Structures are given as C-alpha cells and as structure tokens.
Amino acid sequence: TQLLEQSPQFLSIQEGENLTVYCNSSSVFSSLQWYRQEPGEGPVLLVTVVTGGEVKKLKRLTFQFGDARKDSSLHITAAQPGDTGLYLCAGARKTGANNLFFGTGTRLTVIP
Amino acid sequence: ETGVTQTPRHLVMGMTNKKSLKCEQHLGHNAMYWYKQSAKKPLELMFVYSLEERVENNSVPSRFSPECPNSSHLFLHLHTLQPEDSALYLCASSRQIETEAFFGQGTRLTVV
C-alpha cells in the first residue's frame, strides 16, 4: 500500500511553461517535504511545510500544504531545463519508527 | 556537498562476492537510514538507526546486513546478492527520526 501518491508520474514540457505536481494521501502528516533528485545523485531537500494551508516560495517554485495536512502541491512558473529531475514528496508522522513516507515521484523533463 | 558521503559511488559484484557500502555524515544527526531505489519504484526504506540502535528493519532479506558503529557511520554489508538487488542504495541522516532527511549521492550497485 502506497501512502503517498504523486501525479502526474511523468511530465514533459517546453521551457517557459508552467506546471503543477500533486502529492495526495488519505493520512494526516505533521509535516511534508519536497525533494528533487537528479540522475545519479541522491534527493536534495527543497522545502518543508508544517502548517495546514501553508504556502512557501522558493524562486519560481511555490509549495502548498493542504488545509487538512493530507496533501500538497508544487507549482513551477516558467520552467527551465535546470528544473529537470525527479520530484519526491515525503510526509512525516510522529508514530512508529518508520516516520518518513516517500511518494511515488514525478519525473519532470523540461525541453529547451 | 550534502554533508552525507557514500562510498563507493559505483559497485559491480558477483553473486558470490561479499562487499560493504559505507556512509558517513558530518551533520551531527542522530538518525541514519538505508534506502533502496530501483527503476520505476518508489524509495524503499530498508533500515533505520537512531542513536546507533536499529529501530526498523523493513522486512529486508538477511543477505543485507547493516552496521552502525557510531552516530556518524553506517555500513551495509552485502553477501550472496541476486541480480534483482541491483539498484541505487541511498544513505540518509536526520536530526531526529521524523525530521528532514539529508541524502548522500548513493551507490549504484550492479549484481552480475
């Protein structure tokens, strides 16, 4: 059973276009993180959102945590080839030993 | 530079070989993790260590054997692996179990 589902799974767009990636769950998380992973490298943390409804901006990237803390979205404005990569969301829960649950991932390709 | 270093970056081994993956973190974190990342599959948590004690073994076959001699070092000992074990093995650390994870660059393992 996959706790966090991301959509779309694959996305290929032209440079300059906007896009939104979704991360959905039926579970509540204490916080949610977004990572970007480039080929042959480990995931790199982009942002953590903690409060329901919270919005954080990182240059052209906008992250939102759902009001119920069950879902999140990542919006990229005017995508650049450097945005290409695998985007992973991860939800944190304070119960049990396995507290960080990773999503299925969205593989983004930005074509110059 | 992530503060989490993994060696080797690439490893090719036969099914009868014994090898070890090494991970070192310079962030003063208390928790360390091994993840497996296969093509087209979500990140799979293998082991979690908190303050050098194993707190999670996620139904991993015994041919994978972790070792955490101190809070800065984590090893994954490999023996009699199968070709389906070929994957990117990622080490990560975090301040506490439910906080953000910082990943190493991974070891690309190929079992022949």
Side-chain angles (χ1 to χ4, degrees), chain B residues 54-66:
Chain B
R54 190 192 309 181
V55 295
E56 180 82 6
N57 175 353
N58 222 21
S59 302
V60 180
S62 59
R63 56 186 185 269
F64 295 91
S65 174

Side-chain angles (χ1 to χ4, degrees), chain A residues 14 18 25 63 86 89 92 95 102 108 111:
Chain A
Q14 293 290 137
N18 302 332
S25 176
F63 305 85
L86 178 68
C89 65
T95 55
F102 278 86
L108 171 66
I111 303 165

Side-chain angles (χ1 to χ4, degrees), chain B:
Chain B
E1 189 158 346
T2 65
V4 180
T5 306
Q6 287 186 245
T7 54
R9 292 292 310 275
H10 301 273
L11 179 62
V12 179
M13 60 186 287
M15 289 190 284
T16 58
N17 290 160
K18 288 186 180 180
K19 296 286 183 184
S20 296
L21 309 185
K22 180 182 175 183
C23 177
E24 185 173 357
Q25 59 101 356
H26 312 278
L27 301 168
H29 288 168
N30 291 323
M32 294 188 78
Y33 313 78
W34 280 116
Y35 284 90
K36 176 184 178 182
Q37 190 175 38
S38 307
K40 301 179 183 178
K41 290 175 76 174
L43 271 174
E44 299 174 60
L45 177 66
M46 299 176 73
F47 301 103
V48 180
Y49 277 83
S50 176
L51 297 170
E52 302 150 48
E53 284 192 27
R54 190 192 309 181
V55 295
E56 180 82 6
N57 175 353
N58 222 21
S59 302
V60 180
S62 59
R63 56 186 185 269
F64 295 91
S65 174
E67 179 190 0
C68 187
N70 54 62
S71 59
S72 299
H73 293 86
L74 186 65
F75 296 89
L76 187 63
H77 303 300
L78 316 170
H79 64 98
T80 60
L81 295 193
Q82 305 298 312
E84 59 265 29
D85 296 322
S86 299
L88 181 67
Y89 287 84
L90 291 161
C91 172
S93 71
S94 62
R95 248 184 314 112
Q96 308 293 341
I97 284 182
E98 75 273 10
T99 56
E100 298 99 331
F102 291 81
F103 285 85
Q105 293 175 301
T107 295
R108 172 67 61 186
L109 173 68
T110 304
V111 181
V112 296

Side-chain angles (χ1 to χ4, degrees), chain A residues 24-88:
Chain A
N24 294 303
S25 176
S26 57
S27 299
V28 176
F29 297 103
S30 57
S31 67
L32 195 135
Q33 299 142 32
W34 283 93
Y35 296 80
R36 180 170 65 218
Q37 184 179 18
E38 298 185 14
E41 303 291 331
V44 175
L45 179 68
L46 296 174
V47 78
T48 299
V49 285
V50 179
T51 307
E54 181 177 2
V55 177
K56 279 193 174 177
K57 293 195 174 187
L58 188 66
K59 296 183 181 178
R60 293 174 293 98
L61 277 60
T62 302
F63 305 85
Q64 182 160 10
F65 202 10
D67 291 339
R69 289 185 288 130
K70 293 181 179 182
D71 50 74
S72 181
S73 63
L74 157 61
H75 182 79
I76 302 179
T77 303
Q80 303 294 312
D83 296 327
T84 293
L86 178 68
Y87 287 82
L88 295 162

